[in-house]
């Protein structure tokens, strides 16, 4: 049975926060508006295949060659695998190792017995018993930098969320959440109702905040908010929810020019804020937080020039990638780019006003992320080309980043794949701490029957979201209407569009043709036919599972508690 469906998408839903209706009814993100509607040249890699090949390469101890193998497995007297952040480098970092475990789980690999090793168990070496949280290096002190302190714990929570909970993992998660609650209480000691994250980090040895006199990392509040919200979803303890809300309040109370973005954490705050609005009835200003994530910060920002790039280099573009807009005319990093995608894409499920914005941005990001890899640039445009062309012919090991111009040489080849290690005495700029996050694209990005219309899996990195039906974002970048074919394997099924708040197809089997209007987005939820639906507190539920978080004012729904027959 084939259905030809014309979908007219309205990008706004009624804002739930009375104080921000005027500015948020039609959200805009200038940085995304500046990006190409249709990225050119266009090439989308199979990111799941890249992820699998990457993990099989970095964890293969039998590889031979310069800088290989990357991994060294534990031997007598050692309990931690060695996995360098850069090929040929020293030290093992949680933001590299645990991220690799998460990537494997995201694309369906069994990381508890991968290459003959229990990679999940090895991750415990990063847990600092004294501090009660994960550190970035095995058996080390927790560094006094919020993003280095928090990202290992965020990754650990993701790792645990992607496997059945055990008694031991639940104990660790609760311990971590409790410790960060204590941190927030200390940061609130001045008598304010919310913690103050205007520091560089937190010293767990003295249980006191630290400012190094050079920079501040206020987006640490976003990382704590995400951890505490995950803990609340896991344990249903109100103190965790209260802490998460306080952290988002700290961010929202900053003036617009006081951009809190420092490294990788702020997008997690956006996701938490949208979930708080949808799931608990909060009224956070999502537009303010989103623009902070995208627009490079000015003089009052925590990190000047940090955000999403929209720069071009001849025929190629860095649009959609994340990093510094001011360093070398633009310097994008693989880790930040992948992390941004994983944290921001799921927000559309809870706030569909951003469907077209996220859809356009992700199309640019997914297309241009190939520039981190050696097979997308000429040899002259990368600084480790000889090694890559000899030892990484499948191009699955990325550079740390891509500069618009080589450092100190604006007249050089552009863009230029490189990194910071060689300039500091390292042996290569082939960067595992960035590549280990690639599974995010592996789980999010799927091709459709139309080249430039991607299917983005909104559940892929929406950790601890509860029961949910398959939910996907489709964005049409063309200036004309186009149609995609969807396959219903286990039918009959019905399709609901969260942007228009209506069922667009009932009881379909086989192939379904869906027509999208120019430059528009849809958020499709597949639900079983012959299921019962009901509207509760402006939410649409099918078989008691929420499929639309805000249908207020919608006239496109069938009557309450009607069977989809």
């Amino acid at each position: 049975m084939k259905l030809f469906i014309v979908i007219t998408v309205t990008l706004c839903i009624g804002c739930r926060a009375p104080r921000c209706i005027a500015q948020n009814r039609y959200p805009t993100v200038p940085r995304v508006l500046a990006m190409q509607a249709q990225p050119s040249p266009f090439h989308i890699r199979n990111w799941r295949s890249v992820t699998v090949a990457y993990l099989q390469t970095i964890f293969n101890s039998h590889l031979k060659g310069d800088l290989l193998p990357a991994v060294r497995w534990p031997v007598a007297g050692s309990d931690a695998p060695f996995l360098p952040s850069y090929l040929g480098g020293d030290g093992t970092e949680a933001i590299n190792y645990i991220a690799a475990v998460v990537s494997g789980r995201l694309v369906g690999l069994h990381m508890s017995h991968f290459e003959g090793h229990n990679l999940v168990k090895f991750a415990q070496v990063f847990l600092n018993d004294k501090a009660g949280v994960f550190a970035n290096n095995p058996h080390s002190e927790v560094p006094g930098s919020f993003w280095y302190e928090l990202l290992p714990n965020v990754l650990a929570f993701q790792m645990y969320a992607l496997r059945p909970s055990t008694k031991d993992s639940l104990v660790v998660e609760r311990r971590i959440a409790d410790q960060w609650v204590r941190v927030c209480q200390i940061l609130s000691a001045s008598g304010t109702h919310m913690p103050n994250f205007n520091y560089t980090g937190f010293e767990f040895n003295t249980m006191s905040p630290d400012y190094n006199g050079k920079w501040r990392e206020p987006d640490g509040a976003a990382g704590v908010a995400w951890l505490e919200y995950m803990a609340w979803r896991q344990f249903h303890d109100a103190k965790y929810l209260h802490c998460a809300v306080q952290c988002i309040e700290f961010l929202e109370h900053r003036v617009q020019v006081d951009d809190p973005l420092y490294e990788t954490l702020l997008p997690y705050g956006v996701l938490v804020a949208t979930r708080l609005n949808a799931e608990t009835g909060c009224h956070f200003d999502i537009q303010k937080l989103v623009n902070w994530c995208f627009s490079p910060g000015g003089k009052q920002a925590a990190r000047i020039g940090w955000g999403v790039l929209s720069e071009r280099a001849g025929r190629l573009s860095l649009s959609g990638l994340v990093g510094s807009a001011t360093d070398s005319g633009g310097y994008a990093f693989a880790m930040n780019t992948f992390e941004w995608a994983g944290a921001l894409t799921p927000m559309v499920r809870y706030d569909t006003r951003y469907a077209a914005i996220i859809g356009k941005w992700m199309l640019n990001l997914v297309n241009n992320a190939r520039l981190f890899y050696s097979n997308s640039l000429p040899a002259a445009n990368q600084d480790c080309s000889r090694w890559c062309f000899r030892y990484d012919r499948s191009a699955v090991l990325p550079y740390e980043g891509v500069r618009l111009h080589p450092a100190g040489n604006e007249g050089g080849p552009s863009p230029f794949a490189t990194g910071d290690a060689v300039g500091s005495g390292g042996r290569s700029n082939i960067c595992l701490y960035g590549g280990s996050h690639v599974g995010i694209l592996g789980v999010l990005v799927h091709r459709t029957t139309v080249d430039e219309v991607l299917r983005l899996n909104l559940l892929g990195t929406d950790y601890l979201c509860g029961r949910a039906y398959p939910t996907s974002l489709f964005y049409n970048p063309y200036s004309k209407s186009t149609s995609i074919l969807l396959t219903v394997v286990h039918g009959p099924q019905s399709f609901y569009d969260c942007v228009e708040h209506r069922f667009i197809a009932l009881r379909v089997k086989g192939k379904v043709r869906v027509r999208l209007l120019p430059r528009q987005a849809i958020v499709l939820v597949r639900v079983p036919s012959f299921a019962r639906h009901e509207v509760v507190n402006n939410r649409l539920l099918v078989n008691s599972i929420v499929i639309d978080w805000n249908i207020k004012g919608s006239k496109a729904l069938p009557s309450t508690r009607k069977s989809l027959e």
Side-chain angles (χ1 to χ4, degrees), residues 157-354:
F157 264 59
Q158 293 173 356
M159 177 180 68
Y160 291 137
L162 291 168
R163 61 193 291 266
S165 296
T166 65
K167 182 179 179 180
D168 289 343
S169 67
L170 292 174
V171 169
V172 171
E173 288 178 279
R174 187 180 281 276
R175 184 181 177 191
I176 292 170
D178 287 343
Q179 187 69 314
W180 283 107
V181 167
R182 294 187 192 99
V183 170
C184 287
Q185 291 170 343
I186 292 170
L187 296 180
S188 303
S190 61
T192 61
H193 74 284
M194 56 188 175
N196 176 14
F197 281 85
N198 287 314
Y199 298 96
T200 308
F202 192 84
E203 292 291 344
F204 283 90
N205 286 334
T206 60
M207 291 302 288
S208 61
D210 176 64
Y211 172 53
N212 65 5
K214 299 178 181 179
W215 72 82
R216 302 178 190 272
E217 302 182 24
D219 62 347
V224 176
W226 188 89
L227 286 172
E228 298 303 328
Y229 198 70
M230 293 301 102
W232 177 66
R233 293 288 300 178
Q234 183 76 279
F235 302 111
H236 312 292
D237 189 326
K239 70 179 179 183
Y240 301 135
L241 176 61
H242 178 66
C243 185
V245 170
Q246 284 187 316
C247 289
I248 300 299
E249 285 179 343
F250 164 78
L251 295 171
E252 189 182 55
H253 277 73
R254 300 173 71 88
V255 297
Q256 187 67 55
V257 295
D258 199 12
D259 186 338
L261 175 60
Y262 181 76
E263 184 70 34
T264 61
L265 298 174
L266 187 59
Y268 284 101
V270 175
L271 178 56
V272 171
T274 58
R275 290 188 64 168
L276 284 167
N277 285 359
E279 295 179 327
T280 72
C282 288
H283 305 296
F284 290 114
D285 186 348
I286 304 302
Q287 176 72 357
K288 183 178 182 179
L289 297 173
V290 167
N291 271 313
W292 273 336
C293 287
F294 281 88
S295 301
K299 293 182 178 180
Q300 291 181 242
R303 195 169 192 175
I304 297 174
W306 203 253
V308 175
L309 307 186
S310 60
E311 284 70 19
R312 290 193 61 80
R315 293 179 62 247
L316 301 177
S317 172
L318 303 185
S319 286
L321 308 183
V322 179
S324 171
T326 55
D327 188 336
S328 306
Y331 188 7
F333 295 90
M335 180 190 71
N336 304 74
T337 297
F338 297 147
E339 281 293 310
W340 244 248
L344 290 178
T345 301
M347 70 169 288
V348 175
R349 182 166 173 255
Y350 304 96
D351 195 336
T352 57
R353 296 172 302 158
Y354 291 90

Side-chain angles (χ1 to χ4, degrees), residues 86 100 111 146 287 365 413 493 503 537:
Y86 301 85
M111 304 307 285
F146 275 129
Q287 176 72 357
L365 180 155
Q493 294 182 338
F503 288 98
N537 296 328

Side-chain angles (χ1 to χ4, degrees), residues 231-512:
W232 177 66
R233 293 288 300 178
Q234 183 76 279
F235 302 111
H236 312 292
D237 189 326
K239 70 179 179 183
Y240 301 135
L241 176 61
H242 178 66
C243 185
V245 170
Q246 284 187 316
C247 289
I248 300 299
E249 285 179 343
F250 164 78
L251 295 171
E252 189 182 55
H253 277 73
R254 300 173 71 88
V255 297
Q256 187 67 55
V257 295
D258 199 12
D259 186 338
L261 175 60
Y262 181 76
E263 184 70 34
T264 61
L265 298 174
L266 187 59
Y268 284 101
V270 175
L271 178 56
V272 171
T274 58
R275 290 188 64 168
L276 284 167
N277 285 359
E279 295 179 327
T280 72
C282 288
H283 305 296
F284 290 114
D285 186 348
I286 304 302
Q287 176 72 357
K288 183 178 182 179
L289 297 173
V290 167
N291 271 313
W292 273 336
C293 287
F294 281 88
S295 301
K299 293 182 178 180
Q300 291 181 242
R303 195 169 192 175
I304 297 174
W306 203 253
V308 175
L309 307 186
S310 60
E311 284 70 19
R312 290 193 61 80
R315 293 179 62 247
L316 301 177
S317 172
L318 303 185
S319 286
L321 308 183
V322 179
S324 171
T326 55
D327 188 336
S328 306
Y331 188 7
F333 295 90
M335 180 190 71
N336 304 74
T337 297
F338 297 147
E339 281 293 310
W340 244 248
L344 290 178
T345 301
M347 70 169 288
V348 175
R349 182 166 173 255
Y350 304 96
D351 195 336
T352 57
R353 296 172 302 158
Y354 291 90
I357 291 170
I358 297 299
K360 179 181 178 181
W361 164 61
M362 280 294 290
L363 180 63
N364 279 268
L365 180 155
V366 172
N367 183 65
N368 298 328
R370 75 188 192 280
L371 299 180
F372 294 122
Y373 297 84
S374 59
N375 63 347
S376 296
L377 291 170
N381 291 60
Q382 45 188 303
D383 58 16
C384 295
S385 59
R386 288 187 178 181
W387 188 94
C388 291
F389 296 156
R390 181 174 182 181
Y391 295 110
D392 185 27
R393 295 181 181 178
S394 298
V396 296
L397 302 178
Y399 286 90
E400 181 178 17
V402 179
R403 292 182 184 269
L404 188 65
H405 305 288
N409 183 12
E410 291 194 6
S414 177
F416 192 77
T418 182
D420 297 331
V422 171
S424 301
R427 298 181 62 190
S428 85
N429 286 322
I430 304 303
C431 180
L432 305 191
Y433 90 80
S436 289
H437 300 251
V438 69
I440 291 170
L441 296 191
V443 72
L444 291 180
V445 181
H446 303 269
R447 303 296 294 269
T448 69
T449 53
V450 177
D451 279 346
E452 293 186 40
V453 178
L454 302 178
R455 178 176 75 83
L456 299 178
N457 173 15
L458 297 186
L459 301 181
T461 54
D462 192 11
Y463 301 96
L464 298 183
C465 64
R467 293 191 302 161
Y469 293 111
T471 307
S472 302
L473 167 63
F474 300 87
Y475 172 70
N476 174 20
Y478 299 110
S479 58
K480 59 183 180 181
S481 297
T482 189
S483 296
I484 58 174
L485 277 176
L486 302 179
T487 302
V488 178
V489 178
H490 304 290
Q493 294 182 338
S494 298
F495 287 79
Y496 178 85
D497 174 26
C498 297
V499 177
E500 281 208 325
H501 312 291
R502 69 187 184 95
F503 288 98
I504 62 173
L506 299 177
R507 307 178 308 280
V508 294
K509 300 179 181 179
K511 301 291 185 180
V512 180

